[in-house]
Amino acid sequence: MNRCQWCGKVTSGFGMVVLTIKEGEPSQSLCRDCYNEFMANMLGIEDFEDFEKEITFLDCAGTEHFFQIEKIINPTGILWEAKEFISDNQIGYSFEIHQDFEEDPNDALKRLYKKIKKGLSKKFIKREVVQGKELISIKDNVVEGRIEWDDKYNGRAPKFIIDGQEYSLEEFGRILMSCEGLNFRLEIIESSE
Ligand SMILES: [Zn+2]
């Protein structure tokens, strides 16, 4: 169970943070609130709490997406995350940005919202029905998404989250077959970029 070893709170969603204060001492499993408070004290910064924890955005098809917003204070800055929890361990859309300590957190949040809106403003996968058959293809020859662990393959094959939806390697492979014979370029991008 995800019970915080400091405050006893049970967390789901974003989960726990493992903190090792001194090398050689057992590490502790903490909720993000306790972890952030600890980090803010250690770094001598304010633990900014005055922000919307839940926010809904519309995508380009008019579908609502419900995001939970959380931050994590790192020694190098603050990571802001917006995640769309489809179930406890399934995440649809996910966006993150990095905030430097000098930046106003409200400005960082504005950047996060902008990133969410941009991410929801277009779709990369096109679904159409041609002669009674569903045809799934790549729109405009570019796909952006997220590479995730697929439990079914235990690390041997990834799954992909595209347009906030899950595709197994095989499903994605089938989509790529609409481009059979063409060349491609693969580029990996940091999540906070
Ligand atoms: Zn806690």
Side-chain angles (χ1 to χ4, degrees), residues 69-167:
I69 313 279
E70 277 205 10
K71 67 168 191 301
I72 189 148
I73 302 174
N74 291 316
T76 53
I78 296 159
L79 180 76
W80 288 93
E81 294 175 281
K83 288 190 194 296
E84 180 190 26
F85 287 99
I86 292 167
S87 67
D88 261 0
N89 47 20
Q90 197 186 357
I91 295 164
Y93 279 106
S94 172
F95 300 97
E96 52 186 67
I97 57 142
H98 168 84
Q99 179 209 326
D100 285 330
F101 292 126
E102 301 81 53
E103 188 184 3
D104 183 331
N106 292 300
D107 291 339
L109 279 164
K110 273 185 207 148
R111 286 197 292 118
L112 180 65
Y113 295 167
K114 213 172 140 186
K115 195 170 177 181
I116 298 171
K117 281 183 196 156
K118 191 175 171 232
L120 297 182
S121 69
K122 60 175 176 180
K123 303 243 182 222
F124 296 99
I125 302 286
K126 186 166 87 181
R127 291 169 181 271
E128 55 194 337
V129 177
V130 180
Q131 291 168 348
K133 260 176 76 181
E134 190 184 36
L135 213 69
I136 310 178
S137 59
I138 297 169
K139 231 172 149 178
D140 304 325
N141 291 335
V142 175
V143 183
E144 287 175 21
R146 200 166 72 245
I147 303 167
E148 278 199 357
W149 178 277
D150 192 337
D151 272 337
K152 284 190 212 104
Y153 296 99
N154 199 28
R156 282 176 287 115
K159 67 181 175 190
F160 302 93
I161 316 298
I162 306 160
D163 300 337
Q165 283 190 338
E166 236 181 72
Y167 294 91

Side-chain angles (χ1 to χ4, degrees), residues 4 6-9 30-31 33-34:
C4 174
W6 284 6
C7 72
K9 197 171 71 187
L30 304 184
C31 72
D33 289 342
C34 288

